[in-house]
Amino acid sequence: MITAQHLTRTFGRHAALRDVTLSIAPGEMFALIGPDGAGKTTFFRIAAGLLHATGGTLRNESLASFGFVPQRFSLYTDLSIDENIALRAQLYGVPAAVARERASDLLARVGLDRFGSRLAGQLSGGMKQKLALASALVIAPRLLLLDEPTTGVDPLSRREFWAILHRLHHEGLTIVVSTPYMDEAAYATRLGFLHDGRLIASGTRQDVIRTYSRTLLEVRSTDRVAVRARLARVSAVDDVSLFGSVLHIRGAEGIGGELAAIVRDALAGLVAADHVAAIAPSLEDVFVLNGERAERSAGGERAA
């Protein structure tokens, strides 16, 4: 469906994408994950035909039949929900009767069927994104591109939006979506991590997690400041990160199963021994480690 080979895009002296190679097959839900400035929007704009690559190639087999939901709401705020969808259908040559039938179904699916006469400019952030989705789908695309569709949307609307995408994917629609949120990646069949324009990991969730090469512990403590202070002096500990109400303790390179005993000894009298346990890494753990490696590699290249 989408194939990128050594894709590069520069803006002046800044490289937004650097030698990105990936392939997205029909029927997949592919999530492109990365922080702000990673190059996600640039990738989507090239995939949608809005930008040309500086180097390499990107082939979108569905360029004639795709829907695009950009990060920023781009529909007409002075038109109603119904008018925006009717206009999109007309611009893409969808017969009026077909468009009305599709719009009725789509608005019901996204929960906007009762608000057809409301101006788009009067909608909440979550409702705007649902309208943008319905508008993209009214042309019955083979491929749906969504660039950070839930950024700035409240948690409930985020969950509802992803439930809709999940159903669409299971109905056979190919979906490519970018997000800065690790929890949203759980919906994807495959994912890729972008960092500073580079694709630093890709594959299924388990494929990506298997690239994590460190020992990882979870520490439960109410005095997380004291835990951090003690572990800062332990050479076997490479990183201490807060994950909700617990701490994730990452072992240094080459440190294996002995890390748990080392950490328990360091935290003796502060944290009970059974509050220190080995755990499997999350996607966020993997992303942080790979991002740090990419930063060091880029720093070495700049120094050279």
Side-chain angles (χ1 to χ4, degrees):
M1 188 68 74
I2 293 179
T3 304
Q5 294 285 339
H6 305 293
L7 182 66
T8 299
R9 173 68 202 201
T10 59
F11 296 92
R13 299 179 63 181
H14 172 67
L17 292 173
R18 309 167 188 261
D19 197 33
V20 172
T21 294
L22 64 83
S23 180
I24 301 168
E28 283 198 287
M29 180 186 282
F30 189 93
L32 198 59
I33 306 170
D36 290 344
K40 302 187 300 296
T41 295
T42 300
F43 179 88
F44 274 80
R45 292 178 69 188
I46 295 174
L50 302 175
L51 273 179
H52 293 296
T54 304
T57 61
L58 186 146
R59 185 180 66 190
N60 180 354
E61 295 177 4
S62 294
L63 197 56
S65 177
F66 74 95
F68 183 33
V69 178
Q71 185 175 0
R72 293 184 179 179
F73 185 71
S74 60
L75 300 180
Y76 293 96
T77 57
D78 56 348
L79 294 182
S80 70
I81 288 176
D82 288 340
E83 289 168 340
N84 266 294
I85 293 182
L87 177 60
R88 173 65 64 91
Q90 185 177 2
L91 290 173
Y92 281 81
V94 180
V98 174
R100 284 193 296 271
E101 184 177 348
R102 288 180 185 171
S104 177
D105 174 63
L106 289 168
L107 292 178
R109 296 187 69 170
V110 301
L112 295 181
D113 48 320
R114 296 182 293 112
F115 306 100
S117 61
R118 184 175 298 184
L119 294 180
Q122 297 175 347
L123 302 176
S124 67
M127 293 174 74
K128 283 181 178 177
Q129 289 306 85
K130 290 176 181 177
L131 170 57
L133 177 61
S135 181
L137 292 172
V138 75
I139 64 170
R142 295 173 54 213
L143 169 69
L144 182 62
L145 302 172
L146 305 105
D147 185 16
E148 296 194 12
T150 59
T151 298
V153 175
D154 67 89
L156 179 58
S157 294
R158 269 215 299 151
R159 190 178 301 115
E160 291 174 345
F161 192 89
W162 274 92
I164 295 167
L165 294 185
H166 187 65
R167 290 197 298 272
L168 290 169
H169 171 241
H170 278 273
E171 291 168 7
L173 184 63
T174 303
I175 299 175
V176 185
V177 57
S178 69
T179 176
Y181 304 120
M182 297 296 134
D183 61 315
E184 294 186 343
Y187 290 93
T189 53
R190 286 198 308 129
L191 52 92
F193 282 160
L194 268 184
H195 182 87
D196 194 26
R198 292 182 173 86
L199 187 69
I200 59 175
S202 65
T204 66
R205 184 176 184 274
Q206 290 305 315
D207 288 338
V208 171
I209 286 177
R210 277 193 289 267
T211 68
Y212 194 84
S213 59
R214 303 293 185 87
T215 301
L216 189 67
L217 306 178
E218 178 184 276
V219 172
R220 289 180 286 129
S221 173
T222 57
D223 196 348
R224 292 183 286 274
V225 174
V227 170
R228 283 177 176 273
R230 285 203 190 181
L231 294 182
R233 302 190 295 269
V234 179
S235 61
V237 172
D238 183 56
D239 182 71
V240 179
S241 299
L242 181 63
F243 276 68
S245 61
V246 301
L247 292 164
H248 282 197
I249 313 302
R250 188 176 72 201
E253 194 76 49
I255 301 297
E258 68 271 24
L259 181 65
I262 294 171
V263 168
R264 288 186 182 112
D265 286 345
L267 299 179
L270 178 64
V271 175
D274 62 353
H275 285 189
V276 178
I279 58 169
S282 67
L283 281 176
E284 188 169 344
D285 291 309
V286 179
F287 181 69
V288 169
L289 178 59
N290 285 338
E292 290 174 0
R293 286 172 173 166
E295 286 286 350
R296 287 194 296 270
S297 176
E301 290 175 6
R302 288 191 290 267

PDB file of all heavy atoms in Angstrom, residues 191-217:
ATOM      1  N   LEU A 191       4.018  -1.033  14.098  1.00  0.00           N
ATOM      2  CA  LEU A 191       4.339   0.351  14.425  1.00  0.00           C
ATOM      3  C   LEU A 191       5.783   0.661  14.074  1.00  0.00           C
ATOM      4  O   LEU A 191       6.614  -0.233  13.898  1.00  0.00           O
ATOM      5  CB  LEU A 191       4.075   0.625  15.911  1.00  0.00           C
ATOM      6  CG  LEU A 191       4.707  -0.325  16.930  1.00  0.00           C
ATOM      7  CD1 LEU A 191       6.061   0.206  17.379  1.00  0.00           C
ATOM      8  CD2 LEU A 191       3.790  -0.500  18.125  1.00  0.00           C
ATOM      9  N   GLY A 192       6.055   1.944  13.968  1.00  0.00           N
ATOM     10  CA  GLY A 192       7.410   2.413  13.720  1.00  0.00           C
ATOM     11  C   GLY A 192       7.708   3.586  14.625  1.00  0.00           C
ATOM     12  O   GLY A 192       6.838   4.428  14.870  1.00  0.00           O
ATOM     13  N   PHE A 193       8.936   3.655  15.129  1.00  0.00           N
ATOM     14  CA  PHE A 193       9.377   4.766  15.972  1.00  0.00           C
ATOM     15  C   PHE A 193      10.207   5.725  15.134  1.00  0.00           C
ATOM     16  O   PHE A 193      11.231   5.339  14.563  1.00  0.00           O
ATOM     17  CB  PHE A 193      10.253   4.260  17.116  1.00  0.00           C
ATOM     18  CG  PHE A 193       9.487   3.643  18.254  1.00  0.00           C
ATOM     19  CD1 PHE A 193      10.135   2.802  19.135  1.00  0.00           C
ATOM     20  CD2 PHE A 193       8.155   3.905  18.459  1.00  0.00           C
ATOM     21  CE1 PHE A 193       9.453   2.220  20.191  1.00  0.00           C
ATOM     22  CE2 PHE A 193       7.459   3.338  19.510  1.00  0.00           C
ATOM     23  CZ  PHE A 193       8.115   2.487  20.374  1.00  0.00           C
ATOM     24  N   LEU A 194       9.766   6.974  15.062  1.00  0.00           N
ATOM     25  CA  LEU A 194      10.546   8.025  14.420  1.00  0.00           C
ATOM     26  C   LEU A 194      11.209   8.874  15.494  1.00  0.00           C
ATOM     27  O   LEU A 194      10.571   9.254  16.482  1.00  0.00           O
ATOM     28  CB  LEU A 194       9.656   8.926  13.565  1.00  0.00           C
ATOM     29  CG  LEU A 194       9.470   8.611  12.085  1.00  0.00           C
ATOM     30  CD1 LEU A 194       8.617   9.701  11.434  1.00  0.00           C
ATOM     31  CD2 LEU A 194      10.789   8.475  11.341  1.00  0.00           C
ATOM     32  N   HIS A 195      12.490   9.181  15.282  1.00  0.00           N
ATOM     33  CA  HIS A 195      13.212  10.058  16.208  1.00  0.00           C
ATOM     34  C   HIS A 195      14.161  10.914  15.393  1.00  0.00           C
ATOM     35  O   HIS A 195      15.038  10.394  14.695  1.00  0.00           O
ATOM     36  CB  HIS A 195      13.991   9.242  17.242  1.00  0.00           C
ATOM     37  CG  HIS A 195      14.722  10.089  18.247  1.00  0.00           C
ATOM     38  ND1 HIS A 195      14.115  10.540  19.407  1.00  0.00           N
ATOM     39  CD2 HIS A 195      15.982  10.586  18.260  1.00  0.00           C
ATOM     40  CE1 HIS A 195      14.980  11.274  20.086  1.00  0.00           C
ATOM     41  NE2 HIS A 195      16.111  11.315  19.412  1.00  0.00           N
ATOM     42  N   ASP A 196      13.950  12.235  15.457  1.00  0.00           N
ATOM     43  CA  ASP A 196      14.803  13.172  14.728  1.00  0.00           C
ATOM     44  C   ASP A 196      14.884  12.800  13.249  1.00  0.00           C
ATOM     45  O   ASP A 196      15.944  12.857  12.632  1.00  0.00           O
ATOM     46  CB  ASP A 196      16.200  13.208  15.347  1.00  0.00           C
ATOM     47  CG  ASP A 196      17.030  14.398  14.851  1.00  0.00           C
ATOM     48  OD1 ASP A 196      16.433  15.417  14.468  1.00  0.00           O
ATOM     49  OD2 ASP A 196      18.272  14.286  14.825  1.00  0.00           O
ATOM     50  N   GLY A 197      13.742  12.396  12.690  1.00  0.00           N
ATOM     51  CA  GLY A 197      13.679  12.090  11.272  1.00  0.00           C
ATOM     52  C   GLY A 197      14.127  10.708  10.883  1.00  0.00           C
ATOM     53  O   GLY A 197      14.031  10.331   9.712  1.00  0.00           O
ATOM     54  N   ARG A 198      14.608   9.914  11.836  1.00  0.00           N
ATOM     55  CA  ARG A 198      15.095   8.567  11.549  1.00  0.00           C
ATOM     56  C   ARG A 198      14.111   7.523  12.068  1.00  0.00           C
ATOM     57  O   ARG A 198      13.568   7.671  13.163  1.00  0.00           O
ATOM     58  CB  ARG A 198      16.457   8.323  12.206  1.00  0.00           C
ATOM     59  CG  ARG A 198      17.601   9.134  11.621  1.00  0.00           C
ATOM     60  CD  ARG A 198      18.912   8.783  12.321  1.00  0.00           C
ATOM     61  NE  ARG A 198      20.060   9.405  11.697  1.00  0.00           N
ATOM     62  CZ  ARG A 198      20.494  10.635  11.972  1.00  0.00           C
ATOM     63  NH1 ARG A 198      19.858  11.362  12.875  1.00  0.00           N
ATOM     64  NH2 ARG A 198      21.538  11.138  11.335  1.00  0.00           N
ATOM     65  N   LEU A 199      13.926   6.457  11.295  1.00  0.00           N
ATOM     66  CA  LEU A 199      13.139   5.323  11.754  1.00  0.00           C
ATOM     67  C   LEU A 199      14.070   4.438  12.568  1.00  0.00           C
ATOM     68  O   LEU A 199      14.971   3.788  12.021  1.00  0.00           O
ATOM     69  CB  LEU A 199      12.571   4.555  10.563  1.00  0.00           C
ATOM     70  CG  LEU A 199      11.581   3.439  10.899  1.00  0.00           C
ATOM     71  CD1 LEU A 199      10.278   4.022  11.431  1.00  0.00           C
ATOM     72  CD2 LEU A 199      11.318   2.576   9.671  1.00  0.00           C
ATOM     73  N   ILE A 200      13.877   4.406  13.899  1.00  0.00           N
ATOM     74  CA  ILE A 200      14.838   3.722  14.767  1.00  0.00           C
ATOM     75  C   ILE A 200      14.362   2.341  15.196  1.00  0.00           C
ATOM     76  O   ILE A 200      15.139   1.571  15.764  1.00  0.00           O
ATOM     77  CB  ILE A 200      15.186   4.573  16.003  1.00  0.00           C
ATOM     78  CG1 ILE A 200      13.932   4.896  16.834  1.00  0.00           C
ATOM     79  CG2 ILE A 200      15.884   5.853  15.591  1.00  0.00           C
ATOM     80  CD1 ILE A 200      14.235   5.631  18.119  1.00  0.00           C
ATOM     81  N   ALA A 201      13.100   1.990  14.918  1.00  0.00           N
ATOM     82  CA  ALA A 201      12.591   0.644  15.199  1.00  0.00           C
ATOM     83  C   ALA A 201      11.258   0.495  14.482  1.00  0.00           C
ATOM     84  O   ALA A 201      10.512   1.466  14.334  1.00  0.00           O
ATOM     85  CB  ALA A 201      12.409   0.406  16.694  1.00  0.00           C
ATOM     86  N   SER A 202      10.953  -0.719  14.023  1.00  0.00           N
ATOM     87  CA  SER A 202       9.655  -0.966  13.411  1.00  0.00           C
ATOM     88  C   SER A 202       9.335  -2.450  13.499  1.00  0.00           C
ATOM     89  O   SER A 202      10.225  -3.294  13.647  1.00  0.00           O
ATOM     90  CB  SER A 202       9.638  -0.511  11.943  1.00  0.00           C
ATOM     91  OG  SER A 202      10.524  -1.289  11.164  1.00  0.00           O
ATOM     92  N   GLY A 203       8.049  -2.769  13.419  1.00  0.00           N
ATOM     93  CA  GLY A 203       7.597  -4.152  13.490  1.00  0.00           C
ATOM     94  C   GLY A 203       6.338  -4.244  14.317  1.00  0.00           C
ATOM     95  O   GLY A 203       5.695  -3.236  14.627  1.00  0.00           O
ATOM     96  N   THR A 204       5.962  -5.467  14.697  1.00  0.00           N
ATOM     97  CA  THR A 204       4.840  -5.627  15.604  1.00  0.00           C
ATOM     98  C   THR A 204       5.253  -5.124  16.985  1.00  0.00           C
ATOM     99  O   THR A 204       6.437  -4.889  17.253  1.00  0.00           O
ATOM    100  CB  THR A 204       4.425  -7.094  15.724  1.00  0.00           C
ATOM    101  OG1 THR A 204       5.491  -7.829  16.359  1.00  0.00           O
ATOM    102  CG2 THR A 204       4.132  -7.705  14.358  1.00  0.00           C
ATOM    103  N   ARG A 205       4.266  -5.011  17.863  1.00  0.00           N
ATOM    104  CA  ARG A 205       4.555  -4.557  19.225  1.00  0.00           C
ATOM    105  C   ARG A 205       5.598  -5.461  19.879  1.00  0.00           C
ATOM    106  O   ARG A 205       6.555  -4.988  20.496  1.00  0.00           O
ATOM    107  CB  ARG A 205       3.262  -4.534  20.040  1.00  0.00           C
ATOM    108  CG  ARG A 205       3.414  -3.976  21.452  1.00  0.00           C
ATOM    109  CD  ARG A 205       2.053  -3.900  22.126  1.00  0.00           C
ATOM    110  NE  ARG A 205       2.159  -3.296  23.432  1.00  0.00           N
ATOM    111  CZ  ARG A 205       2.461  -3.952  24.542  1.00  0.00           C
ATOM    112  NH1 ARG A 205       2.683  -5.258  24.485  1.00  0.00           N
ATOM    113  NH2 ARG A 205       2.542  -3.338  25.696  1.00  0.00           N
ATOM    114  N   GLN A 206       5.433  -6.778  19.722  1.00  0.00           N
ATOM    115  CA  GLN A 206       6.379  -7.714  20.328  1.00  0.00           C
ATOM    116  C   GLN A 206       7.743  -7.655  19.650  1.00  0.00           C
ATOM    117  O   GLN A 206       8.776  -7.801  20.310  1.00  0.00           O
ATOM    118  CB  GLN A 206       5.818  -9.138  20.283  1.00  0.00           C
ATOM    119  CG  GLN A 206       4.641  -9.355  21.210  1.00  0.00           C
ATOM    120  CD  GLN A 206       4.973  -8.965  22.654  1.00  0.00           C
ATOM    121  OE1 GLN A 206       6.028  -9.310  23.178  1.00  0.00           O
ATOM    122  NE2 GLN A 206       4.064  -8.213  23.281  1.00  0.00           N
ATOM    123  N   ASP A 207       7.756  -7.451  18.324  1.00  0.00           N
ATOM    124  CA  ASP A 207       9.031  -7.296  17.619  1.00  0.00           C
ATOM    125  C   ASP A 207       9.830  -6.140  18.206  1.00  0.00           C
ATOM    126  O   ASP A 207      11.038  -6.255  18.445  1.00  0.00           O
ATOM    127  CB  ASP A 207       8.803  -7.021  16.126  1.00  0.00           C
ATOM    128  CG  ASP A 207       8.313  -8.227  15.363  1.00  0.00           C
ATOM    129  OD1 ASP A 207       8.532  -9.361  15.844  1.00  0.00           O
ATOM    130  OD2 ASP A 207       7.698  -8.036  14.301  1.00  0.00           O
ATOM    131  N   VAL A 208       9.145  -5.024  18.409  1.00  0.00           N
ATOM    132  CA  VAL A 208       9.821  -3.824  18.908  1.00  0.00           C
ATOM    133  C   VAL A 208      10.279  -4.029  20.345  1.00  0.00           C
ATOM    134  O   VAL A 208      11.403  -3.662  20.717  1.00  0.00           O
ATOM    135  CB  VAL A 208       8.891  -2.597  18.783  1.00  0.00           C
ATOM    136  CG1 VAL A 208       9.492  -1.394  19.491  1.00  0.00           C
ATOM    137  CG2 VAL A 208       8.646  -2.284  17.307  1.00  0.00           C
ATOM    138  N   ILE A 209       9.429  -4.630  21.173  1.00  0.00           N
ATOM    139  CA  ILE A 209       9.790  -4.850  22.575  1.00  0.00           C
ATOM    140  C   ILE A 209      10.998  -5.780  22.689  1.00  0.00           C
ATOM    141  O   ILE A 209      11.848  -5.609  23.571  1.00  0.00           O
ATOM    142  CB  ILE A 209       8.587  -5.385  23.363  1.00  0.00           C
ATOM    143  CG1 ILE A 209       7.584  -4.238  23.599  1.00  0.00           C
ATOM    144  CG2 ILE A 209       9.011  -5.996  24.698  1.00  0.00           C
ATOM    145  CD1 ILE A 209       6.314  -4.649  24.297  1.00  0.00           C
ATOM    146  N   ARG A 210      11.113  -6.735  21.755  1.00  0.00           N
ATOM    147  CA  ARG A 210      12.255  -7.662  21.798  1.00  0.00           C
ATOM    148  C   ARG A 210      13.591  -6.983  21.519  1.00  0.00           C
ATOM    149  O   ARG A 210      14.648  -7.549  21.797  1.00  0.00           O
ATOM    150  CB  ARG A 210      12.039  -8.814  20.813  1.00  0.00           C
ATOM    151  CG  ARG A 210      11.167  -9.931  21.371  1.00  0.00           C
ATOM    152  CD  ARG A 210      11.246 -11.174  20.507  1.00  0.00           C
ATOM    153  NE  ARG A 210      10.581 -10.991  19.237  1.00  0.00           N
ATOM    154  CZ  ARG A 210       9.311 -11.319  19.008  1.00  0.00           C
ATOM    155  NH1 ARG A 210       8.572 -11.838  19.982  1.00  0.00           N
ATOM    156  NH2 ARG A 210       8.758 -11.136  17.834  1.00  0.00           N
ATOM    157  N   THR A 211      13.559  -5.752  20.973  1.00  0.00           N
ATOM    158  CA  THR A 211      14.816  -5.034  20.732  1.00  0.00           C
ATOM    159  C   THR A 211      15.387  -4.453  22.024  1.00  0.00           C
ATOM    160  O   THR A 211      16.519  -3.973  22.032  1.00  0.00           O
ATOM    161  CB  THR A 211      14.622  -3.883  19.719  1.00  0.00           C
ATOM    162  OG1 THR A 211      13.794  -2.853  20.296  1.00  0.00           O
ATOM    163  CG2 THR A 211      13.977  -4.382  18.438  1.00  0.00           C
ATOM    164  N   TYR A 212      14.616  -4.493  23.113  1.00  0.00           N
ATOM    165  CA  TYR A 212      15.066  -3.941  24.392  1.00  0.00           C
ATOM    166  C   TYR A 212      16.094  -4.895  25.011  1.00  0.00           C
ATOM    167  O   TYR A 212      15.781  -6.047  25.319  1.00  0.00           O
ATOM    168  CB  TYR A 212      13.870  -3.757  25.327  1.00  0.00           C
ATOM    169  CG  TYR A 212      14.142  -2.892  26.537  1.00  0.00           C
ATOM    170  CD1 TYR A 212      14.057  -1.517  26.445  1.00  0.00           C
ATOM    171  CD2 TYR A 212      14.474  -3.457  27.767  1.00  0.00           C
ATOM    172  CE1 TYR A 212      14.275  -0.710  27.552  1.00  0.00           C
ATOM    173  CE2 TYR A 212      14.697  -2.660  28.876  1.00  0.00           C
ATOM    174  CZ  TYR A 212      14.599  -1.282  28.763  1.00  0.00           C
ATOM    175  OH  TYR A 212      14.824  -0.486  29.851  1.00  0.00           O
ATOM    176  N   SER A 213      17.298  -4.411  25.209  1.00  0.00           N
ATOM    177  CA  SER A 213      18.413  -5.286  25.590  1.00  0.00           C
ATOM    178  C   SER A 213      18.872  -5.099  27.037  1.00  0.00           C
ATOM    179  O   SER A 213      19.935  -5.595  27.413  1.00  0.00           O
ATOM    180  CB  SER A 213      19.609  -5.010  24.660  1.00  0.00           C
ATOM    181  OG  SER A 213      20.001  -3.640  24.750  1.00  0.00           O
ATOM    182  N   ARG A 214      18.076  -4.414  27.839  1.00  0.00           N
ATOM    183  CA  ARG A 214      18.481  -4.151  29.217  1.00  0.00           C
ATOM    184  C   ARG A 214      17.607  -4.903  30.206  1.00  0.00           C
ATOM    185  O   ARG A 214      16.504  -5.356  29.874  1.00  0.00           O
ATOM    186  CB  ARG A 214      18.385  -2.650  29.521  1.00  0.00           C
ATOM    187  CG  ARG A 214      19.203  -1.759  28.593  1.00  0.00           C
ATOM    188  CD  ARG A 214      20.695  -1.951  28.770  1.00  0.00           C
ATOM    189  NE  ARG A 214      21.430  -0.999  27.945  1.00  0.00           N
ATOM    190  CZ  ARG A 214      21.746   0.233  28.336  1.00  0.00           C
ATOM    191  NH1 ARG A 214      21.396   0.652  29.542  1.00  0.00           N
ATOM    192  NH2 ARG A 214      22.400   1.034  27.524  1.00  0.00           N
ATOM    193  N   THR A 215      18.108  -5.029  31.444  1.00  0.00           N
ATOM    194  CA  THR A 215      17.301  -5.552  32.545  1.00  0.00           C
ATOM    195  C   THR A 215      16.464  -4.411  33.101  1.00  0.00           C
ATOM    196  O   THR A 215      16.970  -3.291  33.281  1.00  0.00           O
ATOM    197  CB  THR A 215      18.199  -6.137  33.640  1.00  0.00           C
ATOM    198  OG1 THR A 215      18.996  -7.175  33.080  1.00  0.00           O
ATOM    199  CG2 THR A 215      17.365  -6.704  34.792  1.00  0.00           C
ATOM    200  N   LEU A 216      15.198  -4.674  33.390  1.00  0.00           N
ATOM    201  CA  LEU A 216      14.287  -3.628  33.846  1.00  0.00           C
ATOM    202  C   LEU A 216      13.589  -4.077  35.124  1.00  0.00           C
ATOM    203  O   LEU A 216      13.112  -5.207  35.219  1.00  0.00           O
ATOM    204  CB  LEU A 216      13.246  -3.328  32.773  1.00  0.00           C
ATOM    205  CG  LEU A 216      12.342  -2.117  33.011  1.00  0.00           C
ATOM    206  CD1 LEU A 216      13.145  -0.814  32.949  1.00  0.00           C
ATOM    207  CD2 LEU A 216      11.224  -2.079  31.976  1.00  0.00           C
ATOM    208  N   LEU A 217      13.552  -3.177  36.103  1.00  0.00           N
ATOM    209  CA  LEU A 217      12.885  -3.437  37.376  1.00  0.00           C
ATOM    210  C   LEU A 217      11.773  -2.423  37.610  1.00  0.00           C
ATOM    211  O   LEU A 217      11.832  -1.302  37.105  1.00  0.00           O
ATOM    212  CB  LEU A 217      13.878  -3.348  38.543  1.00  0.00           C
ATOM    213  CG  LEU A 217      15.140  -4.195  38.502  1.00  0.00           C
ATOM    214  CD1 LEU A 217      15.992  -3.899  39.732  1.00  0.00           C
ATOM    215  CD2 LEU A 217      14.805  -5.675  38.427  1.00  0.00           C
TER     216      LEU A 217
END
